[in-house]
Amino acid sequence: MIMVRHIENGTVIDHIEAGRALQVLRIIGGPNDSTVVVAMNVPSTKYRRKDILKMENVYVDEKKLDLISIIAPKATINLIKDGKVVEKRRVELPPEVTGILKCLNPTCITNKEREPVTSKFKVERNPLRLICEYCNKEFEASTLLKELSL
Ligand code: ZN
């Protein structure tokens, strides 16, 4: 096992699909002034290779966890307090995602400047795709996530 910095308080996201840790970090919003350890391509018994994120004093809100589930559906979230794991859970694909993501259809009502509407996407599985509730356009999750500017 690779030795990475131990954190006292914060969040550890484990079992991220190899190569996607930086995308997850982007959703969370970058390190700001907290310590972030990114471990990529860590050998894993379960999934061969995985990425791990350790973030000191960072707690991820539900909305962002929904987005994380879209790019890292096998991720586990560990909340650390005083050096101990106090909560451990998996991310779950939500039925829909509101806000944060932007519809890429330029004529969609969510992109009209005069009456801004919060974006809303239905989440469809197998294959994973997102459908805008307003214009019904379908997007691959990765396409929408690329546009994220957090
Ligand atoms: Zn739309």
Side-chain angles (χ1 to χ4, degrees), residues 103-105 108-111 121 132-137 139:
C103 179
L104 297 182
N105 171 9
C108 179
I109 188 164
T110 59
N111 288 322
F121 294 90
C132 177
E133 297 260 358
Y134 294 95
C135 68
N136 275 318
K137 276 233 179 204
F139 301 96

mmCIF file of all heavy atoms in Angstrom, residues 103-105 108-111 121 132-137 139, ligand 1:
data_model
loop_
_atom_site.group_PDB
_atom_site.id
_atom_site.type_symbol
_atom_site.label_atom_id
_atom_site.label_comp_id
_atom_site.label_asym_id
_atom_site.label_seq_id
_atom_site.Cartn_x
_atom_site.Cartn_y
_atom_site.Cartn_z
ATOM 1 N N CYS A 103 -26.970 22.804 -19.758
ATOM 2 C CA CYS A 103 -27.430 22.190 -20.998
ATOM 3 C C CYS A 103 -26.618 22.789 -22.143
ATOM 4 O O CYS A 103 -26.366 23.982 -22.179
ATOM 5 C CB CYS A 103 -28.915 22.460 -21.206
ATOM 6 S SG CYS A 103 -29.537 21.741 -22.726
ATOM 7 N N LEU A 104 -26.209 21.933 -23.084
ATOM 8 C CA LEU A 104 -25.356 22.414 -24.178
ATOM 9 C C LEU A 104 -26.154 22.841 -25.403
ATOM 10 O O LEU A 104 -25.583 23.221 -26.410
ATOM 11 C CB LEU A 104 -24.338 21.334 -24.563
ATOM 12 C CG LEU A 104 -23.351 20.959 -23.453
ATOM 13 C CD1 LEU A 104 -22.364 19.929 -23.955
ATOM 14 C CD2 LEU A 104 -22.610 22.190 -22.946
ATOM 15 N N ASN A 105 -27.472 22.758 -25.308
ATOM 16 C CA ASN A 105 -28.305 23.224 -26.401
ATOM 17 C C ASN A 105 -28.450 24.745 -26.273
ATOM 18 O O ASN A 105 -29.059 25.238 -25.336
ATOM 19 C CB ASN A 105 -29.668 22.525 -26.309
ATOM 20 C CG ASN A 105 -30.679 23.095 -27.266
ATOM 21 O OD1 ASN A 105 -30.346 23.909 -28.139
ATOM 22 N ND2 ASN A 105 -31.918 22.682 -27.107
ATOM 23 N N CYS A 108 -31.889 26.188 -25.631
ATOM 24 C CA CYS A 108 -32.620 25.692 -24.462
ATOM 25 C C CYS A 108 -32.979 26.866 -23.536
ATOM 26 O O CYS A 108 -32.187 27.800 -23.382
ATOM 27 C CB CYS A 108 -31.766 24.684 -23.716
ATOM 28 S SG CYS A 108 -32.560 24.021 -22.243
ATOM 29 N N ILE A 109 -34.160 26.792 -22.926
ATOM 30 C CA ILE A 109 -34.613 27.885 -22.043
ATOM 31 C C ILE A 109 -33.650 28.113 -20.873
ATOM 32 O O ILE A 109 -33.500 29.223 -20.376
ATOM 33 C CB ILE A 109 -36.052 27.629 -21.535
ATOM 34 C CG1 ILE A 109 -36.579 28.858 -20.791
ATOM 35 C CG2 ILE A 109 -36.134 26.390 -20.634
ATOM 36 C CD1 ILE A 109 -38.059 28.876 -20.588
ATOM 37 N N THR A 110 -32.943 27.059 -20.469
ATOM 38 C CA THR A 110 -32.007 27.212 -19.348
ATOM 39 C C THR A 110 -30.816 28.099 -19.733
ATOM 40 O O THR A 110 -30.064 28.533 -18.882
ATOM 41 C CB THR A 110 -31.464 25.845 -18.860
ATOM 42 O OG1 THR A 110 -30.807 25.191 -19.946
ATOM 43 C CG2 THR A 110 -32.570 24.959 -18.339
ATOM 44 N N ASN A 111 -30.646 28.349 -21.028
ATOM 45 C CA ASN A 111 -29.538 29.188 -21.483
ATOM 46 C C ASN A 111 -29.966 30.595 -21.880
ATOM 47 O O ASN A 111 -29.172 31.376 -22.367
ATOM 48 C CB ASN A 111 -28.823 28.513 -22.656
ATOM 49 C CG ASN A 111 -28.026 27.323 -22.184
ATOM 50 O OD1 ASN A 111 -27.423 27.353 -21.115
ATOM 51 N ND2 ASN A 111 -28.042 26.252 -22.960
ATOM 52 N N PHE A 121 -31.599 17.667 -15.202
ATOM 53 C CA PHE A 121 -31.373 16.549 -16.126
ATOM 54 C C PHE A 121 -31.880 15.258 -15.514
ATOM 55 O O PHE A 121 -31.651 14.985 -14.330
ATOM 56 C CB PHE A 121 -29.876 16.382 -16.423
ATOM 57 C CG PHE A 121 -29.286 17.524 -17.184
ATOM 58 C CD1 PHE A 121 -28.738 18.610 -16.517
ATOM 59 C CD2 PHE A 121 -29.281 17.527 -18.565
ATOM 60 C CE1 PHE A 121 -28.194 19.681 -17.203
ATOM 61 C CE2 PHE A 121 -28.739 18.581 -19.273
ATOM 62 C CZ PHE A 121 -28.184 19.671 -18.594
ATOM 63 N N CYS A 132 -31.946 16.566 -20.741
ATOM 64 C CA CYS A 132 -32.417 17.860 -20.254
ATOM 65 C C CYS A 132 -33.937 17.824 -20.119
ATOM 66 O O CYS A 132 -34.645 17.427 -21.042
ATOM 67 C CB CYS A 132 -31.998 18.981 -21.215
ATOM 68 S SG CYS A 132 -32.620 20.603 -20.723
ATOM 69 N N GLU A 133 -34.439 18.234 -18.957
ATOM 70 C CA GLU A 133 -35.883 18.205 -18.700
ATOM 71 C C GLU A 133 -36.613 19.272 -19.512
ATOM 72 O O GLU A 133 -37.814 19.206 -19.683
ATOM 73 C CB GLU A 133 -36.157 18.453 -17.212
ATOM 74 C CG GLU A 133 -35.590 17.402 -16.308
ATOM 75 C CD GLU A 133 -36.647 16.390 -15.849
ATOM 76 O OE1 GLU A 133 -37.826 16.555 -16.212
ATOM 77 O OE2 GLU A 133 -36.262 15.448 -15.146
ATOM 78 N N TYR A 134 -35.870 20.268 -19.969
ATOM 79 C CA TYR A 134 -36.534 21.374 -20.655
ATOM 80 C C TYR A 134 -36.559 21.207 -22.165
ATOM 81 O O TYR A 134 -37.557 21.497 -22.801
ATOM 82 C CB TYR A 134 -35.864 22.702 -20.280
ATOM 83 C CG TYR A 134 -36.062 23.020 -18.817
ATOM 84 C CD1 TYR A 134 -35.100 22.675 -17.878
ATOM 85 C CD2 TYR A 134 -37.235 23.628 -18.377
ATOM 86 C CE1 TYR A 134 -35.293 22.936 -16.533
ATOM 87 C CE2 TYR A 134 -37.439 23.892 -17.038
ATOM 88 C CZ TYR A 134 -36.464 23.542 -16.112
ATOM 89 O OH TYR A 134 -36.670 23.796 -14.781
ATOM 90 N N CYS A 135 -35.448 20.766 -22.768
ATOM 91 C CA CYS A 135 -35.433 20.652 -24.227
ATOM 92 C C CYS A 135 -35.347 19.206 -24.683
ATOM 93 O O CYS A 135 -35.337 18.930 -25.890
ATOM 94 C CB CYS A 135 -34.295 21.482 -24.819
ATOM 95 S SG CYS A 135 -32.649 20.848 -24.437
ATOM 96 N N ASN A 136 -35.264 18.279 -23.732
ATOM 97 C CA ASN A 136 -35.217 16.845 -24.049
ATOM 98 C C ASN A 136 -33.990 16.375 -24.798
ATOM 99 O O ASN A 136 -33.962 15.260 -25.295
ATOM 100 C CB ASN A 136 -36.465 16.417 -24.829
ATOM 101 C CG ASN A 136 -37.597 16.097 -23.882
ATOM 102 O OD1 ASN A 136 -37.382 15.468 -22.847
ATOM 103 N ND2 ASN A 136 -38.791 16.560 -24.215
ATOM 104 N N LYS A 137 -32.977 17.218 -24.897
ATOM 105 C CA LYS A 137 -31.737 16.784 -25.552
ATOM 106 C C LYS A 137 -31.016 15.810 -24.642
ATOM 107 O O LYS A 137 -31.002 15.975 -23.428
ATOM 108 C CB LYS A 137 -30.853 17.992 -25.851
ATOM 109 C CG LYS A 137 -31.232 18.673 -27.134
ATOM 110 C CD LYS A 137 -30.009 18.807 -28.036
ATOM 111 C CE LYS A 137 -30.406 19.478 -29.331
ATOM 112 N NZ LYS A 137 -29.524 19.167 -30.441
ATOM 113 N N PHE A 139 -27.491 13.905 -23.510
ATOM 114 C CA PHE A 139 -26.042 14.124 -23.504
ATOM 115 C C PHE A 139 -25.353 12.985 -22.789
ATOM 116 O O PHE A 139 -25.901 12.414 -21.846
ATOM 117 C CB PHE A 139 -25.697 15.428 -22.768
ATOM 118 C CG PHE A 139 -26.338 16.647 -23.357
ATOM 119 C CD1 PHE A 139 -27.529 17.134 -22.842
ATOM 120 C CD2 PHE A 139 -25.759 17.303 -24.433
ATOM 121 C CE1 PHE A 139 -28.138 18.258 -23.384
ATOM 122 C CE2 PHE A 139 -26.362 18.427 -24.976
ATOM 123 C CZ PHE A 139 -27.549 18.906 -24.455
HETATM 124 ZN ZN ZN B 1 -31.812 21.868 -22.464
#
